[in-house]
Amino acid sequence: MSEKVEMKQLEDGSEGDNPLNFLMDCVGADGKFQSRFNYTYNMGFMMINGMSALTLILALTSQEHWCHVPGRSDTNLTLTQWKELTVPRVQQEKDEASFSKCNMFNFSLPLDIAYLQKGWNESHAEIVPCHHGWDYDTTWYTQTVTSQEDWVCDKELYVPNTLLFAKVGEVLGEMFIGQMGDAIGRRPVMFLGVLLLVLGRCVAVFSAGIYTLFLAANVVSSLPAGVIFQSPLIIGMEISSVQKRAHIALLQCVGWTAGICLTPMVAWATGGRWKVFTILSSVPCALIFLAYKALVLVMNFTIILCVASMSGNPFLNMFLQSLVEFPGFLAGRFICDRFGRRWSQAGAYCVAAVLLFICTLTAAEQHLTQLLIVLILFIKFCFTVGAYCAYLQCMEIYPTCLRQTGTSLGVLLATSISTVGPYIVYLGATVDVRYPYAILVLMCFLAMICGTLLPETLNQKLPIPLKTLHTSVKTRSTGASRRGKQKRITDLRTDRYNYLLLSDF
C-alpha cells in the first residue's frame, strides 16, 4: 500500500517542494554512494586536476638573464667579472645599479681580454642590443619556455600574450562547453574537458618553437578549465543532502589546494625543466578515464603572478601561497555556515582591500620585502575565503536545469576580466611596482559591493523547476506496467539506482 502511495506522489509531484526531493528521500541522500563519489571525484580527482592549474605560469617564468658574449670559456674570469667587462649597468628607481638584461658593449671578436682589463673605459664604449643571444640563471629553473625560445627583451610580451590566450580559451570554454552539462549531462562534459586538457598540454610541450601553434594548444587546454571542476561538484550537490553542501564544496577546495601545492614541488624535484613538470602535472588527469565514477578569480590569478615574480626561491614562494589555501577554505566553510555566504565574502574582500592598501605603501621599500611577503600570504588567505564563499553560493542560486549553464556564465565573466591579470603584473614590473596592489584594492571594493547584492543561500534548498522534473518523471513511467512501476520505486532505495540516477543527470 505504501508503495502505491509513493508511486502516486512520484507521478503527481505532490511530495514536498519538488519530486526530486521525494526521489532523493527514497534513495537516501547521505549514504555510502554519495560519500564515495565526493571523496573520489570532488577531492581525489580535483587534487590531480589542480596540479595542472599552475603549470603554465611556472613554465613561462622569466629567468634572470643577460647578453651572451662569446669568449669567457677561454679565460679564468668569474661570471661577475665577465659581466663587469661586457655588460653595462642600468640604474633602477630606488635600487642599486644592476646589469642590463638586453644590452651589451659593442666589441669586435675575438676579445682582447688584457686590453679590457687594463686600458678599457666603459664610459666611451658603444652600447648595443644583444647580438649573440642570452645566458640564463639556472639556480631554480634548468629551462623554461622563456629561456628555451628567448622570449625576453623585444619578445617579452610573448609571455603575457600567452597567458591572455589561455584566458581567452577559458572564456570560450565557459561560453560553449559550460552549458553542455545541462544539455547532455555532467559526466560526458567532464570526460571531454579532461581529454582537451591533456591533449592541449601535450601538444604545447612540443610546439613552443612555433608560437601560433603553441598559443592554439594553450587555448585548447584552457577550454575546459571551469567545467571539469563544476561537473562533479554539481553532481555531488544534487545527489547529497542539504547539510552536506558546504562539506562537498570544502572537499573540492581541499583537493584543489593539495594539487596546486604539489605542482611547485614537482617542478622543483625535476630541476625546473618545464617539459618534464608540464607532462607530470597534466597527464595524470587522464586517470579519470580509468574509472567510471573538477574559480580562478582575477584577484587570485593576479596575486599568483605577483608571487611568481618575487625574489627568492620561486618554488617555495609558490608552495607557500598555495598552502595558505588550506586554512582559507577551512575558515571559509566555518564562516559561511556561521554568518552566511553573502556577508562572509564581503568581509573577506574588505580585509583584503585593507591589506592591499598597506602593500601599496610598502611595495617600493626594499627593506620591507619580508613584510610584503607576509602581507601577500594573508591577502591570499582572504581571497581564498572570498572565492570559497562565491563558489558555494554560485552552485546554490541556479535551478537544476540551468545550474551548470549559470555557473559557467559566472566563471566566463570572471575569466574574461582575469585576462588583464598578466598585464597588471607587467605594468608593475615596467612602470611602478605599486600599481598592481592599487588596482587590486579597487577590485576588492568592487567585489565586496557586488557580493552584497546576491541573495543569501544558507540552509536554502536547491531551486528545481517542478514542471520540468514532473514531465521527466512521467515520461520515464510511460508504457510501464504497475508491477514495473512498483519495482522501480523499490529500486530507488538502492545505491545501484542512485548510480543510474546520476548517469541520467
Side-chain angles (χ1 to χ4, degrees), residues 322-347:
S322 299
L323 186 64
V324 78
E325 291 195 7
F326 276 122
F329 288 134
L330 292 172
R333 181 192 175 181
F334 173 78
I335 295 172
C336 278
D337 286 341
R338 184 71 179 272
F339 303 105
R341 292 33 166 156
R342 179 170 55 180
W343 296 110
S344 296
Q345 60 177 307

mmCIF file of all heavy atoms in Angstrom, residues 322-347:
data_model
loop_
_atom_site.group_PDB
_atom_site.id
_atom_site.type_symbol
_atom_site.label_atom_id
_atom_site.label_comp_id
_atom_site.label_asym_id
_atom_site.label_seq_id
_atom_site.Cartn_x
_atom_site.Cartn_y
_atom_site.Cartn_z
ATOM 1 N N SER A 322 50.232 28.624 -2.158
ATOM 2 C CA SER A 322 49.254 27.561 -2.389
ATOM 3 C C SER A 322 48.811 26.933 -1.070
ATOM 4 O O SER A 322 47.631 26.657 -0.857
ATOM 5 C CB SER A 322 49.848 26.481 -3.309
ATOM 6 O OG SER A 322 50.206 27.010 -4.569
ATOM 7 N N LEU A 323 49.775 26.722 -0.178
ATOM 8 C CA LEU A 323 49.480 26.076 1.096
ATOM 9 C C LEU A 323 48.501 26.882 1.939
ATOM 10 O O LEU A 323 47.683 26.315 2.675
ATOM 11 C CB LEU A 323 50.786 25.868 1.876
ATOM 12 C CG LEU A 323 50.687 25.065 3.177
ATOM 13 C CD1 LEU A 323 50.249 23.629 2.884
ATOM 14 C CD2 LEU A 323 52.036 25.072 3.894
ATOM 15 N N VAL A 324 48.552 28.210 1.817
ATOM 16 C CA VAL A 324 47.690 29.055 2.639
ATOM 17 C C VAL A 324 46.213 28.871 2.291
ATOM 18 O O VAL A 324 45.338 29.268 3.057
ATOM 19 C CB VAL A 324 48.103 30.537 2.488
ATOM 20 C CG1 VAL A 324 47.588 31.119 1.172
ATOM 21 C CG2 VAL A 324 47.620 31.370 3.666
ATOM 22 N N GLU A 325 45.934 28.213 1.155
ATOM 23 C CA GLU A 325 44.537 27.971 0.796
ATOM 24 C C GLU A 325 43.874 26.945 1.716
ATOM 25 O O GLU A 325 42.656 26.971 1.887
ATOM 26 C CB GLU A 325 44.440 27.518 -0.664
ATOM 27 C CG GLU A 325 44.780 28.622 -1.659
ATOM 28 C CD GLU A 325 44.334 28.285 -3.066
ATOM 29 O OE1 GLU A 325 43.646 27.252 -3.239
ATOM 30 O OE2 GLU A 325 44.662 29.046 -3.985
ATOM 31 N N PHE A 326 44.657 26.032 2.300
ATOM 32 C CA PHE A 326 44.062 25.057 3.226
ATOM 33 C C PHE A 326 43.340 25.747 4.376
ATOM 34 O O PHE A 326 42.136 25.530 4.577
ATOM 35 C CB PHE A 326 45.136 24.106 3.758
ATOM 36 C CG PHE A 326 45.428 22.951 2.853
ATOM 37 C CD1 PHE A 326 46.705 22.738 2.370
ATOM 38 C CD2 PHE A 326 44.430 22.061 2.488
ATOM 39 C CE1 PHE A 326 46.986 21.666 1.532
ATOM 40 C CE2 PHE A 326 44.690 20.982 1.651
ATOM 41 C CZ PHE A 326 45.974 20.787 1.179
ATOM 42 N N PRO A 327 44.030 26.568 5.185
ATOM 43 C CA PRO A 327 43.291 27.262 6.253
ATOM 44 C C PRO A 327 42.247 28.220 5.712
ATOM 45 O O PRO A 327 41.229 28.473 6.369
ATOM 46 C CB PRO A 327 44.388 28.015 7.018
ATOM 47 C CG PRO A 327 45.525 28.132 6.074
ATOM 48 C CD PRO A 327 45.470 26.893 5.226
ATOM 49 N N GLY A 328 42.460 28.751 4.500
ATOM 50 C CA GLY A 328 41.474 29.649 3.909
ATOM 51 C C GLY A 328 40.159 28.960 3.634
ATOM 52 O O GLY A 328 39.082 29.490 3.940
ATOM 53 N N PHE A 329 40.222 27.752 3.079
ATOM 54 C CA PHE A 329 38.994 27.010 2.789
ATOM 55 C C PHE A 329 38.317 26.531 4.071
ATOM 56 O O PHE A 329 37.082 26.534 4.165
ATOM 57 C CB PHE A 329 39.295 25.816 1.881
ATOM 58 C CG PHE A 329 39.616 26.201 0.467
ATOM 59 C CD1 PHE A 329 40.697 25.639 -0.202
ATOM 60 C CD2 PHE A 329 38.847 27.136 -0.204
ATOM 61 C CE1 PHE A 329 40.995 25.987 -1.499
ATOM 62 C CE2 PHE A 329 39.135 27.494 -1.507
ATOM 63 C CZ PHE A 329 40.208 26.920 -2.152
ATOM 64 N N LEU A 330 39.109 26.114 5.053
ATOM 65 C CA LEU A 330 38.523 25.700 6.331
ATOM 66 C C LEU A 330 37.822 26.875 7.010
ATOM 67 O O LEU A 330 36.703 26.732 7.524
ATOM 68 C CB LEU A 330 39.611 25.132 7.242
ATOM 69 C CG LEU A 330 40.224 23.796 6.798
ATOM 70 C CD1 LEU A 330 41.416 23.444 7.682
ATOM 71 C CD2 LEU A 330 39.191 22.684 6.823
ATOM 72 N N ALA A 331 38.485 28.037 6.993
ATOM 73 C CA ALA A 331 37.858 29.227 7.569
ATOM 74 C C ALA A 331 36.631 29.632 6.766
ATOM 75 O O ALA A 331 35.620 30.062 7.334
ATOM 76 C CB ALA A 331 38.869 30.380 7.603
ATOM 77 N N GLY A 332 36.708 29.471 5.434
ATOM 78 C CA GLY A 332 35.570 29.806 4.588
ATOM 79 C C GLY A 332 34.351 28.977 4.917
ATOM 80 O O GLY A 332 33.231 29.490 4.989
ATOM 81 N N ARG A 333 34.559 27.672 5.144
ATOM 82 C CA ARG A 333 33.413 26.817 5.481
ATOM 83 C C ARG A 333 32.797 27.231 6.812
ATOM 84 O O ARG A 333 31.576 27.329 6.955
ATOM 85 C CB ARG A 333 33.840 25.360 5.540
ATOM 86 C CG ARG A 333 32.648 24.461 5.856
ATOM 87 C CD ARG A 333 33.031 23.063 6.219
ATOM 88 N NE ARG A 333 31.843 22.314 6.625
ATOM 89 C CZ ARG A 333 31.860 21.059 7.027
ATOM 90 N NH1 ARG A 333 32.992 20.402 7.083
ATOM 91 N NH2 ARG A 333 30.743 20.452 7.386
ATOM 92 N N PHE A 334 33.648 27.466 7.822
ATOM 93 C CA PHE A 334 33.140 27.849 9.134
ATOM 94 C C PHE A 334 32.377 29.169 9.064
ATOM 95 O O PHE A 334 31.263 29.293 9.609
ATOM 96 C CB PHE A 334 34.313 27.978 10.122
ATOM 97 C CG PHE A 334 33.907 28.528 11.466
ATOM 98 C CD1 PHE A 334 33.286 27.715 12.409
ATOM 99 C CD2 PHE A 334 34.125 29.857 11.775
ATOM 100 C CE1 PHE A 334 32.907 28.216 13.643
ATOM 101 C CE2 PHE A 334 33.754 30.372 13.008
ATOM 102 C CZ PHE A 334 33.140 29.545 13.941
ATOM 103 N N ILE A 335 32.954 30.163 8.383
ATOM 104 C CA ILE A 335 32.320 31.483 8.304
ATOM 105 C C ILE A 335 31.019 31.410 7.516
ATOM 106 O O ILE A 335 30.015 32.031 7.885
ATOM 107 C CB ILE A 335 33.297 32.505 7.680
ATOM 108 C CG1 ILE A 335 34.508 32.700 8.594
ATOM 109 C CG2 ILE A 335 32.608 33.836 7.438
ATOM 110 C CD1 ILE A 335 35.605 33.535 7.969
ATOM 111 N N CYS A 336 31.030 30.634 6.402
ATOM 112 C CA CYS A 336 29.814 30.522 5.579
ATOM 113 C C CYS A 336 28.661 29.908 6.365
ATOM 114 O O CYS A 336 27.518 30.347 6.253
ATOM 115 C CB CYS A 336 30.109 29.678 4.339
ATOM 116 S SG CYS A 336 30.897 30.582 3.000
ATOM 117 N N ASP A 337 28.959 28.864 7.132
ATOM 118 C CA ASP A 337 27.908 28.209 7.895
ATOM 119 C C ASP A 337 27.486 29.022 9.115
ATOM 120 O O ASP A 337 26.386 28.838 9.638
ATOM 121 C CB ASP A 337 28.377 26.818 8.349
ATOM 122 C CG ASP A 337 28.395 25.818 7.202
ATOM 123 O OD1 ASP A 337 27.722 26.083 6.187
ATOM 124 O OD2 ASP A 337 29.084 24.788 7.314
ATOM 125 N N ARG A 338 28.347 29.913 9.572
ATOM 126 C CA ARG A 338 28.042 30.697 10.771
ATOM 127 C C ARG A 338 27.381 32.032 10.417
ATOM 128 O O ARG A 338 26.395 32.438 11.061
ATOM 129 C CB ARG A 338 29.344 30.946 11.554
ATOM 130 C CG ARG A 338 29.149 31.678 12.873
ATOM 131 C CD ARG A 338 28.482 30.781 13.895
ATOM 132 N NE ARG A 338 28.304 31.472 15.162
ATOM 133 C CZ ARG A 338 29.208 31.503 16.132
ATOM 134 N NH1 ARG A 338 30.356 30.845 15.982
ATOM 135 N NH2 ARG A 338 28.975 32.136 17.251
ATOM 136 N N PHE A 339 27.890 32.715 9.407
ATOM 137 C CA PHE A 339 27.415 34.061 9.102
ATOM 138 C C PHE A 339 26.719 34.168 7.732
ATOM 139 O O PHE A 339 26.279 35.256 7.360
ATOM 140 C CB PHE A 339 28.581 35.056 9.148
ATOM 141 C CG PHE A 339 29.304 35.070 10.465
ATOM 142 C CD1 PHE A 339 30.552 34.481 10.584
ATOM 143 C CD2 PHE A 339 28.729 35.651 11.582
ATOM 144 C CE1 PHE A 339 31.226 34.491 11.797
ATOM 145 C CE2 PHE A 339 29.389 35.660 12.800
ATOM 146 C CZ PHE A 339 30.645 35.076 12.907
ATOM 147 N N GLY A 340 26.666 33.076 6.970
ATOM 148 C CA GLY A 340 26.038 33.135 5.661
ATOM 149 C C GLY A 340 27.040 33.394 4.553
ATOM 150 O O GLY A 340 28.177 33.818 4.801
ATOM 151 N N ARG A 341 26.604 33.157 3.301
ATOM 152 C CA ARG A 341 27.521 33.280 2.168
ATOM 153 C C ARG A 341 27.798 34.740 1.811
ATOM 154 O O ARG A 341 28.933 35.140 1.518
ATOM 155 C CB ARG A 341 26.930 32.613 0.934
ATOM 156 C CG ARG A 341 26.757 31.112 0.873
ATOM 157 C CD ARG A 341 26.462 30.348 2.053
ATOM 158 N NE ARG A 341 26.015 29.006 1.734
ATOM 159 C CZ ARG A 341 26.117 27.998 2.571
ATOM 160 N NH1 ARG A 341 26.660 28.176 3.762
ATOM 161 N NH2 ARG A 341 25.672 26.808 2.234
ATOM 162 N N ARG A 342 26.783 35.573 1.807
ATOM 163 C CA ARG A 342 26.875 36.927 1.269
ATOM 164 C C ARG A 342 27.831 37.801 2.080
ATOM 165 O O ARG A 342 28.772 38.377 1.521
ATOM 166 C CB ARG A 342 25.485 37.554 1.228
ATOM 167 C CG ARG A 342 25.483 38.974 0.699
ATOM 168 C CD ARG A 342 24.069 39.454 0.465
ATOM 169 N NE ARG A 342 23.238 39.333 1.656
ATOM 170 C CZ ARG A 342 21.959 39.680 1.711
ATOM 171 N NH1 ARG A 342 21.369 40.126 0.622
ATOM 172 N NH2 ARG A 342 21.272 39.563 2.812
ATOM 173 N N TRP A 343 27.613 37.894 3.386
ATOM 174 C CA TRP A 343 28.423 38.794 4.192
ATOM 175 C C TRP A 343 29.802 38.224 4.485
ATOM 176 O O TRP A 343 30.741 38.969 4.781
ATOM 177 C CB TRP A 343 27.688 39.129 5.491
ATOM 178 C CG TRP A 343 26.414 39.872 5.236
ATOM 179 C CD1 TRP A 343 25.145 39.421 5.401
ATOM 180 C CD2 TRP A 343 26.298 41.203 4.705
ATOM 181 N NE1 TRP A 343 24.234 40.369 5.023
ATOM 182 C CE2 TRP A 343 24.914 41.492 4.597
ATOM 183 C CE3 TRP A 343 27.216 42.176 4.323
ATOM 184 C CZ2 TRP A 343 24.436 42.687 4.113
ATOM 185 C CZ3 TRP A 343 26.740 43.383 3.843
ATOM 186 C CH2 TRP A 343 25.362 43.634 3.744
ATOM 187 N N SER A 344 29.954 36.924 4.370
ATOM 188 C CA SER A 344 31.270 36.321 4.580
ATOM 189 C C SER A 344 32.248 36.748 3.487
ATOM 190 O O SER A 344 33.381 37.148 3.762
ATOM 191 C CB SER A 344 31.158 34.798 4.617
ATOM 192 O OG SER A 344 30.378 34.377 5.720
ATOM 193 N N GLN A 345 31.791 36.650 2.219
ATOM 194 C CA GLN A 345 32.699 37.041 1.145
ATOM 195 C C GLN A 345 32.912 38.549 1.120
ATOM 196 O O GLN A 345 34.022 39.015 0.810
ATOM 197 C CB GLN A 345 32.194 36.547 -0.202
ATOM 198 C CG GLN A 345 30.839 37.041 -0.637
ATOM 199 C CD GLN A 345 30.473 36.524 -2.028
ATOM 200 O OE1 GLN A 345 31.220 36.681 -2.987
ATOM 201 N NE2 GLN A 345 29.312 35.890 -2.125
ATOM 202 N N ALA A 346 31.895 39.327 1.479
ATOM 203 C CA ALA A 346 32.074 40.779 1.536
ATOM 204 C C ALA A 346 33.115 41.155 2.591
ATOM 205 O O ALA A 346 33.980 42.007 2.365
ATOM 206 C CB ALA A 346 30.743 41.464 1.836
ATOM 207 N N GLY A 347 33.069 40.493 3.746
ATOM 208 C CA GLY A 347 34.040 40.769 4.789
ATOM 209 C C GLY A 347 35.448 40.355 4.401
ATOM 210 O O GLY A 347 36.425 41.057 4.699
#
